Amino acid sequence: MHYSRNGPTGSSGPRYLASTAVLLVEVIKLLASLTLAAHDMRRTHPTAPLFEIAGKLHRSVFAADSWKLVVPAALYTFQNSLIYVAISNLDAITFQVSYQLKILTTVLFSILLLGRKISSRQWVALVLLTSGVALVQIAGPVASSDAGAGGAWNWDWDWKERLTSLLSTGTSSGFKGLMAVLAASLTSGLTCVFFEKLVKDSLASVSLWTRNVQLSFFSLFPALFIGVLWQDGAAISRDGFFAGYNSIVWLTIALQALGGLVVAVCIAYADNVAKNFAASFSIVVSYAASAVIFRTPLMLHSTGGAAIVLLAIYLFNSRPTPRTALLPTSKEKPTTVGTNTKPLSFR
C-alpha cells in the first residue's frame, strides 16, 4: 500500500484516488461474501431451486436486524480512509509502529463491550507485544563512514528528529499523518470489537458470510457518496475513476479485500486479540524470511524485538495461577460461543 501511494506512477498522469480503492475493496468483498453465503445456503438446501436459494439469501441479508451493521460499516470505511491518509503522509516505518496502538485499543474495547477479563500477566504480554513489534519495525542502523569491513555500527535511529518533524506544526503533512494513524488505531479497536459482538451474538442463527455481505453492502454507501462523490467527485470527473491505476494498485486492492475476508473468519472463530497477535507474529516471520531470502542483515534491536514478541505470545497463552488478580473486572458475561467465563486466550 505504501509503495502504491508513494512509488513511481509509471506515467505523467495523476496518482490513483484512495476513495476509489476503498470502494473497490468493498465491492470485491461483497461479491466474494455473496458467493460464499450462497454456497452455504446451497449446502443446507441441496435440492432447492436456484430462485429459492436467491430468495432465502435475500431475506437473510435484509433481515430485521441487518440495520445493526450500519455502524461498523461506516466505521470500517472511515478507518480505511484514515489508513490511506496516514500512509500517504508518513513513511512506512512510522506508520507501522504507530498503528500498533490498535492492539491496546482492541483490548480496551473488548473489556468495555464484551466484558472480557484480562489477567495481570496478559496485560504485561500486551505491552511487550506492542513494544516488540515496534522494535522489529524500526529502521535499522547504518554503518559509520569510517568503519571498515569489520567496523562498528553507528546506531542512528533518528527518532528525535522524526518526532520533532511530526509534532512541530499542525499544518505539516507528518502531523496530519500522525493524527490519522492515531484515529485509525482507535477506530480499528472499536469497529473490530463491535463487529465481533454482532457476529458472535448471532452466529447460531446467521452465517458469518451473511454478516459479511451485510457489512460490505452498508459500507458501499459511505464509500461511494462520501468518499468518491463528495470528496473526490471533481477529480474523478476530470481524470476518470481508474486514473493512476496499475498492477501494483490492483494487487493492493486484492490484498485488502482478501485480508478483510480472512479477518472475518478470525473474528468469528477466535477473537480480535488473537487476530492482532497473529498479525504481530507475521511481522516476525517476515523479518526472518527477509533475512533468509533477501540476505538482509539481522539487526540487534530487531532480533530483540522478535524475541519479545515470542515471549509476549507465550505469556498471553500461559494460564495464570488462581491467585492472579484480574484487571479490570467486569460484571458482563463474555459473548463467546460455547465457552464459559475465563481469562481471554486464543489457544
Side-chain angles (χ1 to χ4, degrees):
M1 183 187 293
H2 184 269
Y3 182 80
S4 72
R5 294 298 295 165
N6 298 278
T9 59
S11 65
S12 58
R15 191 175 299 278
Y16 77 98
L17 297 170
S19 61
T20 62
V22 171
L23 178 62
L24 289 175
V25 167
E26 296 306 325
V27 170
I28 295 173
K29 285 168 56 180
L30 175 61
L31 296 176
S33 299
L34 270 174
T35 303
L36 292 168
H39 178 70
D40 281 349
M41 196 76 68
R42 170 61 72 182
R43 285 196 308 170
T44 55
H45 303 84
T47 60
L50 183 60
F51 71 90
E52 185 176 337
I53 295 292
K56 289 179 179 293
L57 182 59
H58 179 272
R59 288 191 294 272
S60 64
V61 170
F62 296 101
D65 65 342
S66 61
W67 63 269
K68 296 179 181 179
L69 275 296
V70 172
V71 174
L75 289 175
Y76 264 126
T77 306
F78 180 58
Q79 174 193 336
N80 289 335
S81 300
L82 286 172
I83 290 174
Y84 272 102
V85 172
I87 203 66
S88 300
N89 291 277
L90 295 174
D91 61 89
I93 298 299
T94 304
F95 169 79
Q96 288 174 327
V97 173
S98 303
Y99 198 42
Q100 300 316 310
L101 287 173
K102 67 180 181 179
I103 298 174
L104 299 180
T105 61
T106 299
V107 173
L108 292 177
F109 282 114
S110 295
I111 294 171
L112 294 175
L113 298 181
L114 302 180
R116 286 185 173 146
K117 297 179 180 180
I118 308 296
S119 68
S120 302
R121 181 179 302 187
Q122 289 174 325
W123 276 115
V124 173
L126 289 167
V127 174
L128 287 175
L129 179 70
T130 306
S131 304
V133 170
L135 279 175
V136 171
Q137 296 181 118
I138 288 176
V142 295
S144 59
S145 58
D146 57 347
W153 289 96
N154 176 24
W155 291 86
D156 184 12
W157 290 5
D158 200 28
W159 281 102
K160 182 178 180 180
E161 291 79 3
R162 188 188 300 271
L163 290 175
T164 301
S165 63
L166 288 176
L167 303 176
S168 59
T169 172
T171 59
S172 67
S173 60
F175 186 84
K176 179 181 178 181
L178 181 63
M179 292 299 101
V181 75
L182 293 179
S185 300
L186 183 65
T187 308
S188 174
L190 174 60
T191 309
C192 291
V193 173
F194 191 79
F195 182 60
E196 179 184 348
K197 179 176 175 62
L198 291 178
V199 169
K200 290 187 173 179
D201 283 348
S202 59
L203 194 59
S205 57
V206 182
S207 74
L208 167 65
W209 299 118
T210 298
R211 285 299 191 201
N212 227 41
V213 169
Q214 294 170 337
L215 181 65
S216 298
F217 176 76
F218 288 117
S219 297
L220 293 178
F221 295 97
L224 175 61
F225 291 106
I226 298 178
V228 172
L229 297 180
W230 180 63
Q231 179 181 341
D232 296 322
I236 292 174
S237 299
R238 183 183 65 249
D239 303 319
F241 187 91
F242 295 103
Y245 273 66
N246 54 35
S247 58
I248 297 297
V249 177
W250 282 112
L251 178 59
T252 300
I253 291 172
L255 288 174
Q256 286 278 93
L258 177 62
L261 297 176
V262 174
V263 165
V265 177
C266 183
I267 289 175
Y269 300 106
D271 52 58
N272 279 290
V273 179
K275 179 201 72 175
N276 286 336
F277 268 84
S280 301
F281 184 69
S282 72
I283 295 173
V284 175
V285 174
S286 299
Y287 170 66
S290 65
V292 175
I293 298 174
F294 301 110
R295 307 288 184 181
T296 304
L298 296 176
M299 304 303 177
L300 179 61
H301 66 285
S302 296
T303 305
I308 292 175
V309 169
L310 297 177
L311 175 62
I313 294 175
Y314 168 76
L315 287 177
F316 195 89
N317 264 330
S318 60
R319 298 185 181 277
T321 60
R323 291 179 294 178
T324 302
L326 299 178
L327 299 174
T329 59
S330 174
K331 296 181 180 179
E332 298 183 31
K333 295 181 179 180
T335 57
T336 54
V337 179
T339 58
N340 53 5
T341 304
K342 61 181 180 180
L344 179 62
S345 175
F346 58 87
R347 187 165 50 186

